[in-house]
Amino acid sequence: EAQVTQNPRYLITVTGKKLTVTCSQNMNHEYMSWYRQDPGLGLRQIYYSMNVEVTDKGDVPEGYKVSRKEKRNFPLILESPSPNQTSLYFCASSTRDSTTKNIQYFGAGTRLSVL
Amino acid sequence: SQKIEQNSEALNIQEGKTATLTCNYTNYSPAYLQWYRQDPGRGPVFLLLIRENEKEKRKERLKVTFDTTLKQSLFHITASQPADSATYLCALDTGRRALTFGSGTRLQVQP
């Protein structure tokens, strides 16, 4: 089954404690993205990757890091989480072939609370 | 600055009626426009894609229009059902990078 898998689904942490949210896709997609979703603000892109070792900032990259060492994995790293990073996070993957045209396939989400 | 607006935060309609959701944008030249459905606590799911040179696209009870002159897309659900209750997101693809999403419209279909 084609899917994007995020872990963990729920996470409560404290300010300053480094954490990683993992994301893996099994569709051999070149493109992967991280979004955060906040009430009234919608989905905002944090980082995206066009392929292995190629990443770029999205609209709200401050406080986040990513890496793309393998095509299937795109972890999101919060080196020193702060309460304003409390949010619902989604990983997504896509391809830009003539049929799918960058249609995003989303994971189930990770709800993060930073105390 | 670039902006995407979806007409209202919430829309309530009666079962069987047609729901019409609006997506307006400024300062974009999208190559494609996409619509997604999102249920509470879950990731968005793709519904329809329409290209800049297409006026209308249909899929079962869903219809999307795209007017690049007005910079607007309309999303219609005909013969709406309570199971259609969800948040609907529009997203623009300018062909340069990942999508830019609107904040969504929450649709509630009353039985």
Side-chain angles (χ1 to χ4, degrees):
Chain A
E1 181 192 350
Q3 60 185 7
V4 177
T5 304
Q6 290 179 232
N7 280 297
R9 291 291 315 280
Y10 303 92
L11 182 58
I12 300 174
T13 190
V14 295
T15 300
K17 186 175 181 184
K18 181 180 177 179
L19 66 91
T20 299
V21 184
T22 64
C23 175
S24 180
Q25 52 97 1
N26 63 0
M27 294 168 280
N28 201 36
H29 286 168
E30 313 88 72
Y31 294 84
M32 297 187 75
S33 295
W34 276 102
Y35 298 87
R36 62 177 287 174
Q37 188 173 38
D38 302 287
L41 296 177
L43 278 164
R44 293 180 295 167
Q45 190 187 56
I46 303 170
Y47 267 96
Y48 69 103
S49 170
M50 291 150 286
N51 216 320
V52 175
E53 302 291 4
V54 183
T55 63
D56 204 355
K57 295 177 181 178
D59 298 317
V60 288
E62 293 78 21
Y64 304 96
K65 279 177 55 176
V66 292
S67 69
R68 188 95 181 270
K69 292 183 169 45
E70 304 165 283
K71 197 171 185 179
R72 63 184 292 123
N73 295 324
F74 191 44
L76 179 69
I77 303 156
L78 283 72
E79 295 270 4
S80 183
S82 62
N84 65 10
Q85 292 178 299
T86 293
S87 187
L88 180 57
Y89 291 86
F90 289 103
C91 179
S93 72
S94 66
T95 186
R96 279 191 181 273
D97 64 32
S98 59
T99 304
T100 58
K101 297 295 182 197
N102 204 21
I103 293 167
Q104 305 279 296
Y105 293 81
F106 285 88
T110 296
R111 188 168 291 281
L112 172 66
S113 294
V114 183
L115 306 177
Chain B
S1 63
Q2 297 174 323
K3 204 171 176 183
I4 304 169
E5 282 186 339
Q6 295 194 237
N7 59 325
S8 57
E9 201 171 302
L11 182 65
N12 292 302
I13 64 168
Q14 286 297 122
E15 183 175 6
K17 301 291 186 185
T18 296
T20 299
L21 286 64
T22 305
C23 177
N24 295 296
Y25 60 92
T26 56
N27 297 323
Y28 283 104
S29 295
Y32 307 94
L33 188 143
Q34 301 182 21
W35 284 88
Y36 289 76
R37 168 182 173 141
Q38 186 176 22
D39 291 289
R42 308 189 75 163
V45 175
F46 170 76
L47 294 174
L48 279 169
L49 176 151
I50 188 164
R51 304 177 191 206
E52 61 179 336
N53 60 353
E54 295 178 318
K55 295 291 184 194
E56 183 179 297
K57 202 77 166 282
R58 290 176 185 260
K59 179 183 175 183
E60 297 172 353
R61 294 185 296 112
L62 308 180
K63 185 177 85 171
V64 172
T65 62
F66 192 13
D67 188 327
T68 54
T69 302
L70 291 178
K71 295 187 183 296
Q72 181 181 79
S73 175
L74 299 179
F75 177 80
H76 307 272
I77 306 175
T78 58
S80 60
Q81 305 165 1
D84 295 325
S85 298
T87 296
Y88 292 86
L89 307 169
C90 69
L92 301 184
D93 186 357
T94 59
R96 293 171 57 201
R97 39 173 277 190
L99 302 184
T100 303
F101 284 83
S103 57
T105 298
R106 190 172 67 253
L107 173 67
Q108 187 69 40
V109 181
Q110 307 287 351

